Amino acid sequence: VAGPTGIRPTGLRSRRIGMARTEATDGPAGTRPTADIAEIGSRRERAADPEDRISAGIGAMVRAGRILPSKAGRRREAVTEDIPGAVTITGKSAETENKMDREEKGLVREGERVDSLDRKGYRIIQDPQRFCFGMDAVLLAAFAGKREEDRILDLGTGTGVIPILMEARYGGTGYQALEIQPDSCDMARRSVALNGLSDRIEVTEGDLRRAHEIYGASSFDVVTCNPPYMTNKHGLTNPSGPMAIARHELLCSLEDVVRETARLLRPGGHSYFVHRPFRLVEIMTLMHDYGLEPKRMRLVYPYVDREPNMVLLEGVRGGRSWLKAEPPLVIYREQGIYTDEVKKLYFDGDTEE
């Protein structure tokens, strides 16, 4: 499972270093093979090309929900096996692909992969042997809000996916990200550089438990966090160090997260968390105790007839007692088919070819 929630975002296009062609992997954005019109030519010319007919057909199937975005790349790869000279589509012209290869060279380490976030052409570097982000990060980036002038901090940023996705959604500058693991911090910095966002997103290596000492108290308008969900008493600790740190409260506790968030926010500032519903009482109690009044909540369900397995929470420092429970967010309409709302969260605007 790509993330700690048991739900896997599907559809990332991945470029693994040292491999001859692009392979389809799981991720949050949905595979949308697109055509560079200037490179390929008119629609009539493209229609005569079997490569483009396949791309258009599979793209339409993804948008219609008939196949999973994550399966689109594999479906297309299987179809094109018999076409002489066929290569796995990346949605870019040859010139753009060569430029991307040059950008990636020197930024991506052996064994890492580059995944498309399908927003503004942004990509992210990930190491499958460490920890790859899940749907929870995508939903949190969509749930959180930011005004252009806001200063925002993501605590425990991992590979930096949340500030990158938020910049893609809201623009602006003033994004900060804090990560305690040196390798993850380095990967996040390289992902920021890969997207040309070094002047907008700054990644700092440091301990979340000392965040107010690193940045100063009352210095942010928005703080986001996708914290570890499990205590040492919940489930088995993953034997892999980076994955264990991401999933279990080994280097910080839920109270550490809430306390530091409250210290970092200016009065009236907003916090955004994603967590598991079974800890909802604990989360809300801590938020209230530290002056982060819960203001908005949304439960996330894998299917309409299942129990929720994620909760999104917004708090306001010094806010009055008033909680809005939003309509539930359902991920799948049926097995392997996203609901329309989730598709809107994944796809970057118009999904036309």
Side-chain angles (χ1 to χ4, degrees), residues 10-13 27-33 62 69-70 116-118 338 346-347:
T10 57
L12 278 179
R13 292 190 297 277
T31 299
R32 289 190 299 129
V62 170
S70 62
S116 169
L117 294 176
D118 220 16
Y338 288 139
Y346 282 174
F347 289 102

Side-chain angles (χ1 to χ4, degrees), residues 200-230:
R200 294 173 176 261
I201 302 173
E202 181 179 355
V203 182
T204 301
E205 182 182 334
D207 191 336
L208 180 153
R209 294 170 295 185
R210 297 179 48 253
H212 75 284
E213 299 175 17
I214 297 170
Y215 296 104
S218 303
S219 54
F220 291 95
D221 303 288
V222 174
V223 173
T224 60
C225 188
N226 178 8
Y229 294 161
M230 305 297 184

Side-chain angles (χ1 to χ4, degrees), residues 40 44 67-68 72 76 80 83 110 123 146 157 161 172 210 212 227 231 253 257 265 305 335:
I40 297 176
R44 181 173 297 179
I67 62 172
L68 272 171
R76 186 190 181 285
T80 57
I83 300 177
E110 186 68 30
R123 295 162 285 161
K146 180 188 181 298
T157 197
V161 64
R210 297 179 48 253
H212 75 284
T231 68
S253 67
V257 170
L265 282 173
D305 58 347
Q335 182 68 39

Side-chain angles (χ1 to χ4, degrees), residues 139-140 143-144 270-285 287 293-301 308-316 322-329 341:
L139 297 182
L140 180 59
F143 182 75
H270 292 250
S271 64
Y272 298 94
F273 303 132
V274 60
H275 218 288
R276 288 281 183 91
F278 75 86
R279 298 187 69 182
L280 184 56
V281 172
E282 181 185 0
I283 298 166
M284 286 193 169
T285 300
M287 290 177 68
E293 192 63 31
K295 302 296 288 185
R296 185 165 62 106
M297 178 185 75
R298 191 170 199 190
L299 289 167
V300 181
Y301 296 74
N309 60 357
M310 280 186 279
V311 60
L312 298 159
L313 276 170
E314 176 184 2
V316 175
W322 182 273
L323 176 66
K324 177 183 179 181
E326 295 190 338
L329 174 60
E341 183 173 6

Side-chain angles (χ1 to χ4, degrees), residues 45 47 70 93 119 133 175 179 183 195 199 221 231 250 264 321 331 339-340:
E45 291 168 339
S70 62
S93 67
R119 283 195 170 271
F133 72 90
Y175 293 88
E179 173 56 42
D183 290 343
N195 292 298
D199 61 336
D221 303 288
T231 68
L250 300 178
L264 289 160
S321 180
I331 302 301
T339 60
D340 290 340

